[in-house]
Amino acid sequence: MKLSEIKATLADRGILLTKSLGQNFLHDQNQIRRIVDAADLREGEQILEIGPGLGPLTGALLERQVRLTSIEIDRRLVEFLRDRFQSEPLLTLLHADALEWLRATARDWSDWKLVANLPYSVGSPTLIELALMPHPPRRMTATLQSEVADRILASCNTRAYGIMTLLILVSYEPMGRFKIPATCFFPEPDVESSCLTLERRAKPLLDEGQRATYVKLVKLAFSQRRKIVWKLLKQRWKPELLEAIRIDLDLDPMVRAQALSLEQFVALARRLH
Ligand code: SAM
């Protein structure tokens, strides 16, 4: 969809965009192609799209003959999409809050891929929700605020490193990232965007039970970034147990959460579980 078509459609339908829903529509065909290429699609694959908007990505995905489920919260856009894609047997269009829908829908996502230009408002929680599912999608190609992509890709001992990094990278490996200039969207967002591709780890680092412990551990460790990690963890685990594990894993008694690597958090979770 070209910029002129987006503007004309919105005017025809009398749709005023809602900023709080992150309604910035992508009109640059080159960037849409790059996103679809990054998703590495196969005919007949199951794809989840969150926030189709006016459907520029939806259309490009359907051209690849994938089986697509798209979830849009805005009724006005859902009505437009129903008209635009009415003869598309490969599309299942849902009118729902994607985050609520994901939380309420128990499904094995392991054969699915996410391909989405995510609304800024729910980008991070949506990725975390999917990554922590018992059977998360094989690949996630998501356009996000660049700052969120930075947090996911951060190295330890940096300010960006934290809960977002650790909760996503425990299940996924980054496969690539490219920036999308604000001029490719209408209206132009105030923040920078990036398309990030994550591939599910071939071998999970933790089993489901250990992962639940890992999530509690990471959240508690980062609840106060400046505090020594062991002091925070004592709120939940016995000091003697923590000290024995600390010595065994050869960890610093004065360490703060941001100096512990993903591998060290994983090792800690395995022992604490
Ligand atoms: N995919 C389109 C594109 O690339 O032009 C639109 C992307 S726009 C950044 C985000 C879309 O997500 C909007 O259409 C917005 O209405 C929708 N949205 C916002 N919050 C949502 C939610 N919680 N669940 C589903 N869709 C949502």
Side-chain angles (χ1 to χ4, degrees):
M1 233 177 169
K2 293 192 198 115
L3 178 56
S4 53
E5 290 170 318
I6 292 180
K7 286 183 176 168
T9 303
L10 295 174
D12 281 356
R13 300 225 162 201
I15 300 176
L16 290 175
L17 296 179
T18 311
K19 198 170 180 191
S20 62
L21 291 178
Q23 294 181 332
N24 303 93
F25 299 141
L26 197 49
H27 57 76
D28 185 304
Q29 303 312 310
N30 192 33
Q31 300 295 348
I32 292 172
R33 204 169 28 247
R34 290 177 84 192
I35 296 171
V36 173
D37 287 347
D40 191 23
L41 302 171
R42 304 278 174 276
E43 196 177 317
E45 254 178 351
Q46 302 248 58
I47 306 296
L48 174 66
E49 184 193 19
I50 290 171
L54 293 171
L57 193 53
T58 320
L61 290 167
L62 289 169
E63 277 174 20
R64 303 284 180 110
Q65 302 295 308
V66 295
R67 285 179 289 158
L68 180 62
T69 297
S70 298
I71 311 175
E72 172 58 58
I73 200 170
D74 188 327
R75 185 184 41 77
R76 304 165 304 172
L77 301 175
V78 174
E79 281 166 7
F80 169 77
L81 292 166
R82 289 224 164 98
D83 293 344
R84 178 173 173 191
F85 296 111
Q86 55 182 320
S87 55
E88 268 298 348
L90 292 173
L91 176 64
T92 305
L93 185 61
L94 303 176
H95 176 210
D97 177 325
L99 199 49
E100 281 178 14
W101 185 86
L102 284 172
R103 286 177 178 153
T105 309
R107 179 171 290 185
D108 182 341
W109 293 101
S110 50
D111 284 337
W112 287 66
K113 288 179 179 170
L114 170 80
V115 188
N117 174 12
L118 289 172
Y120 297 135
S121 45
V122 292
S124 324
T126 305
L127 281 187
I128 290 180
E129 191 67 32
L130 281 166
L132 295 180
M133 296 256 170
H135 306 286
R138 338 193 337 229
R139 197 175 178 97
M140 302 203 280
T141 299
T143 302
L144 302 153
Q145 219 169 315
S146 285
E147 187 236 319
V148 176
D150 290 343
R151 282 197 274 137
I152 294 173
L153 301 176
S155 311
C156 75
N157 278 317
T158 62
R159 272 190 63 193
Y161 179 74
I163 295 178
M164 189 75 195
T165 325
L166 290 159
L167 296 192
I168 300 283
L169 296 191
V170 70
S171 305
Y172 286 88
E173 284 175 304
M175 301 300 286
R177 171 216 186 138
F178 56 89
K179 292 200 173 157
I180 305 185
T183 49
C184 297
F185 299 89
F186 175 79
E188 286 185 25
D190 309 328
V191 293
E192 235 194 46
S193 303
S194 288
C195 176
L196 176 65
T197 296
L198 299 161
E199 180 94 354
R200 194 182 58 216
R201 290 181 182 275
K203 199 166 173 292
L205 297 177
L206 298 169
D207 66 30
E208 213 178 317
Q210 291 170 334
R211 219 169 41 162
T213 304
Y214 174 88
V215 173
K216 285 179 198 138
L217 166 68
V218 167
K219 287 186 175 168
L220 191 54
F222 279 93
S223 58
Q224 293 178 65
R225 289 180 80 102
R226 284 154 188 264
K227 266 203 167 177
I228 291 168
V229 119
W230 311 111
K231 287 196 176 152
L232 295 165
L233 299 186
K234 274 182 203 162
Q235 293 169 32
R236 187 176 179 96
W237 289 283
K238 291 207 174 85
E240 316 82 69
L241 173 68
L242 289 168
E243 184 59 5
I245 297 175
R246 186 194 69 70
I247 292 169
D248 214 30
L249 296 177
D250 196 20
L251 297 173
D252 182 350
M254 303 301 280
V255 77
R256 268 109 179 136
Q258 75 174 38
L260 288 174
S261 66
L262 170 79
E263 292 71 23
Q264 287 171 325
F265 272 109
V266 165
L268 262 171
R270 283 195 188 126
R271 301 292 302 271
L272 287 170
H273 182 63

